[in-house]
């Protein structure tokens, strides 16, 4: 059944007329004829009277059609082999595992910290979905760990810093506290500090007499554990994003992403690729992952999280002390959890392989209500508002993708994988490689309608400030402001249809 489904989806690409024009540049994994067909099938639709072919299978043959419940983001790719599913299950266990500080009797699970934000991957990515912010009501705040603070200082006297020029670091770290604030520490060490948030209600008038209320956050750091922080430190809040479909995003051919840079967009929209360093090869490659496209692969993104969020060493980032800085001498002297019989790192290569297999094969759910008249009307509005200038609907993945499950699949992630200026309100002042303090990667939208099914307390945008999908749209500024203004000018019924479309993804 799985093989038949894959064959049907592949046939959907080949079924398009070969007379379509080839995309500029082309792809090195396709024949000229296949290039023409792929270009045709991924062209934006102009017919909103019905569902497009294979649109409901928004992740190709990997799409899961399991029962919709709180575990829907935790399903494996539907076309995985039996052996692949076994590795996925092992990776799931590692993703959920709580790590402990060293030394410990559980030697395969120690090495946490010395400074950390969470004890497990799952603690931030709730049921493999979006993380949870501490809360909007000061009286109901929680110790949610999924929202963390990145730190950076202006180059200033360090302008032209050699590590910045060599792409060894994405931004200049704060000298004492590094690139990220760790709000927990192992016994015997103080935590770096505590994040505090204040929200200001901002009303936005909408056509039709409606008013939306946005929650504008202000962040500060209290209880600094290692002395003063530089007064000019920039703070960037980052909320853990959903994990589904990551392997497919990694399998989008680079030329298709770069074609989005030069594509003719309305509203003068121009996306930018973020070129970063591959920690495995040292090569300069296209960034695809994290909120500013600062990581090139799922493996490297996962290894960076082990290091920065949990203080665990991996083959890509072998420093046992994680994010401890030279100014934190006691932190550097704490014991680590590497066991010689397992390997030189606290998370050895084989365990990282299992985590990567798991993270790249979390399946995207099948679309719901895609043929509903109101959903189709909302899709038309999504196109007319020019949301598709950045949220590019579809791709056919590379024939040379790392994993066979991801090869040559027609997918619908709704992202251009580029970074864009999102305006003053969303700017954080923190650069990440070539992405500036005003730029963010276009997030994929698949699965967005099931966000609260998986985590009822989830919210949207890079710091979780948007409590609803409409609020997320209304925060768009910069390059996206014309599209945002068109949504403001829609009738209440039209806005409701637009949200219905997003909820069907």
């Amino acid at each position: 059944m799985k093989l038949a489904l894959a064959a049907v989806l592949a046939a959907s690409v080949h079924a398009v007329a070969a007379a379509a024009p080839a995309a500029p540049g082309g792809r090195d994994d396709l024949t000229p004829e296949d290039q023409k067909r792929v270009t045709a099938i991924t062209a934006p639709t102009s017919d909103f009277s019905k569902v497009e072919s294979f649109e409901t299978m928004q992740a190709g043959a990997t799409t899961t059609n399991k029962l919709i419940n709180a575990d829907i983001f935790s399903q494996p790719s539907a076309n995985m082999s039996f052996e692949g599913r076994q590795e996925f299950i092992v990776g799931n266990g590692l993703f959920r595992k709580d790590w402990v500080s060293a030394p410990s009797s559980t030697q395969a699970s120690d090495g946490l910290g010395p400074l950390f934000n969470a004890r497990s991957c799952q603690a931030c990515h709730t049921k493999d979905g979006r993380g949870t912010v501490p809360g909007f009501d000061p009286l109901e705040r929680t110790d949610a760990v999924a929202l963390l603070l990145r730190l950076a200082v202006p180059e200033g006297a360090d302008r032209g810093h050699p590590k910045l020029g060599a792409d060894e670091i994405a931004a200049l770290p704060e000298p004492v506290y590094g690139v990220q604030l760790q709000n927990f520490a192992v016994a015997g060490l103080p935590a770096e500090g505590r994040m505090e948030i204040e929200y200001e209600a901002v009303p936005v008038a909408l056509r039709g007499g409606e008013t939306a209320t946005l929650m504008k956050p202000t962040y500060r750091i209290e209880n600094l554990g290692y002395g003063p922080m530089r007064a000019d430190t920039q703070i960037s809040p980052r909320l853990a994003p959903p994990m589904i479909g990551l392997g497919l995003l990694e399998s989008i051919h680079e030329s298709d992403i770069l074609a989005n840079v030069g594509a003719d967009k309305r509203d003068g929209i121009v996306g930018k690729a973020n070129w970063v360093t591959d920690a495995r090869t040292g090569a300069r490659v296209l960034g695809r992952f994290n909120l500013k496209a600062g990581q090139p692969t799922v493996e490297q993104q996962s290894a960076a999280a082990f290091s920065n969020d949990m203080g665990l060493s991996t083959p890509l980032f072998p420093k046992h002390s994680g994010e401890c800085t030279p100014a934190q001498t006691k932190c550097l002297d704490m014991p680590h959890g590497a066991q010689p019989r397992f390997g030189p790192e606290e998370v050895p290569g084989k365990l990282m392989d299992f985590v990567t297999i798991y993270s790249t094969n979390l399946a995207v759910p099948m679309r719901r209500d895609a043929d509903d008249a109101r959903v189709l009307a909302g899709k038309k509005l999504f196109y007319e508002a020019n949301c598709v200038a950045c949220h590019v609907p579809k791709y056919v993945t590379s024939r040379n993708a790392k994993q066979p499950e991801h090869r040559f699949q027609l997918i619908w992630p709704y992202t251009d994988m580029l970074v864009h200026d999102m305006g003053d309100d969303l700017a954080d002042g923190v650069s990440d490689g070539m992405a500036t303090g005003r730029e963010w990667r276009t997030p994929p939208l698949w699965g967005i309608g099931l966000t609260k099914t998986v985590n009822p307390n989830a919210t949207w945008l890079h710091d979780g400030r948007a409590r609803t999908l409409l609020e997320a749209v209304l925060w768009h500024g910069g390059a996206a402001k014309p599209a945002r203004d068109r949504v403001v000018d829609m009738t209440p019924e039209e806005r409701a249809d637009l949200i219905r479309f997003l909820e069907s993804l």
Side-chain angles (χ1 to χ4, degrees), residues 33-357:
E33 288 300 301
D34 277 349
Q35 176 68 72
K36 293 177 182 178
R37 293 167 181 145
V38 166
T39 300
I41 202 168
T42 56
T45 186
S46 58
D47 182 0
F48 301 99
S49 64
K50 59 184 179 181
V51 176
E52 296 176 67
S53 298
F54 302 101
E55 186 177 1
T56 57
M57 301 295 290
Q58 55 185 342
T62 73
T63 306
T64 182
N65 63 353
K66 295 291 186 180
L67 180 68
I68 300 298
N69 58 29
D71 295 318
I72 191 59
F73 284 178
S74 300
Q75 306 302 318
S77 297
N79 59 348
M80 288 191 83
S81 65
F82 176 80
E83 292 78 9
R85 286 173 181 261
Q86 301 310 301
E87 294 178 326
F88 178 91
I89 290 170
V90 175
N92 182 23
L94 293 168
F95 198 83
R96 293 171 179 269
K97 178 167 77 167
D98 285 332
W99 294 81
V100 297
S101 59
S104 169
S105 58
T106 55
Q107 293 183 345
S109 297
D110 65 350
L112 178 72
L115 300 169
F116 62 95
N117 295 99
R119 293 179 177 272
S120 70
C121 306
Q122 190 78 198
C124 292
H125 302 276
T126 305
K127 287 186 172 290
D128 304 299
R130 294 185 64 80
T132 305
V133 298
F136 293 89
D137 186 338
L139 299 178
E140 298 180 358
R141 293 280 164 84
T142 68
D143 291 327
V145 299
L147 183 67
L148 54 83
L149 296 180
R150 290 285 178 86
L151 309 174
V153 297
E155 291 182 54
D158 296 309
R159 188 170 299 281
H161 191 287
K163 287 192 175 183
L164 280 174
D167 279 345
E168 291 181 30
I169 54 178
L172 200 62
E174 205 283 334
V176 174
Y177 293 90
V179 300
Q180 186 168 307
L181 183 81
Q182 278 85 26
N183 53 333
F184 297 104
V186 299
L189 278 183
E192 289 189 319
R194 185 182 74 247
M195 171 178 58
E196 292 289 345
I197 317 173
E198 294 181 359
Y199 289 97
E200 174 191 358
V202 179
V204 177
L206 308 173
R207 180 183 173 188
E210 295 183 342
T211 300
T213 301
L214 306 184
M215 301 300 286
K216 181 179 180 180
T218 301
Y219 297 89
R220 68 180 189 276
I221 300 172
E222 302 284 356
N223 296 351
L224 288 171
Y226 296 86
M229 181 179 289
R230 268 181 54 164
D232 58 354
T233 301
Q234 298 282 355
I235 297 174
S236 176
R238 308 283 180 93
L239 182 65
M243 299 288 295
I244 58 172
L246 298 184
L248 292 168
L249 297 178
E250 190 170 335
S251 302
I252 298 174
H253 198 281
E254 180 179 291
S255 69
D256 286 346
I257 297 175
L258 297 181
N260 291 328
V261 175
D264 184 17
K265 308 285 188 179
R266 286 167 49 202
D267 302 325
I269 290 175
V270 178
K272 184 172 81 179
N274 192 5
W275 295 93
V276 300
T277 297
D278 187 318
R280 181 173 292 281
T281 66
R284 187 174 170 83
V285 295
L286 180 66
R288 297 171 184 250
F289 300 103
N290 90 17
L291 294 167
K292 292 188 180 235
Q295 298 291 357
T297 64
V298 177
E299 178 193 31
Q300 186 164 320
Q301 171 69 24
S302 301
F306 271 119
S307 178
N308 294 336
D309 301 354
M310 292 182 281
L312 294 163
S313 56
T314 66
L316 287 185
F317 301 107
K319 183 182 173 184
H320 296 316
S321 54
E323 237 260 289
C324 297
T325 69
Q328 298 166 329
T329 53
K330 189 176 179 181
C331 181
L332 294 169
D333 292 337
M334 297 298 286
H336 61 77
Q339 306 295 327
R341 68 183 186 277
F342 297 134
E345 299 88 24
E346 292 161 321
V347 186
K350 187 59 180 176
L351 297 191
M352 274 304 305
D353 290 343
F354 285 128
V355 171
T356 302
I357 289 169

Side-chain angles (χ1 to χ4, degrees), residues 493-504:
E493 293 76 16
E494 289 172 334
R495 281 192 297 273
D497 287 345
L498 176 67
I499 299 304
R500 287 189 184 97
F501 166 68
L502 294 175
E503 290 175 343
S504 77

Side-chain angles (χ1 to χ4, degrees), residues 454-467:
V454 173
N455 178 7
N457 296 316
T459 50
W460 290 274
L461 293 183
H462 68 278
D463 58 358
R465 68 177 67 187
R467 298 164 298 175

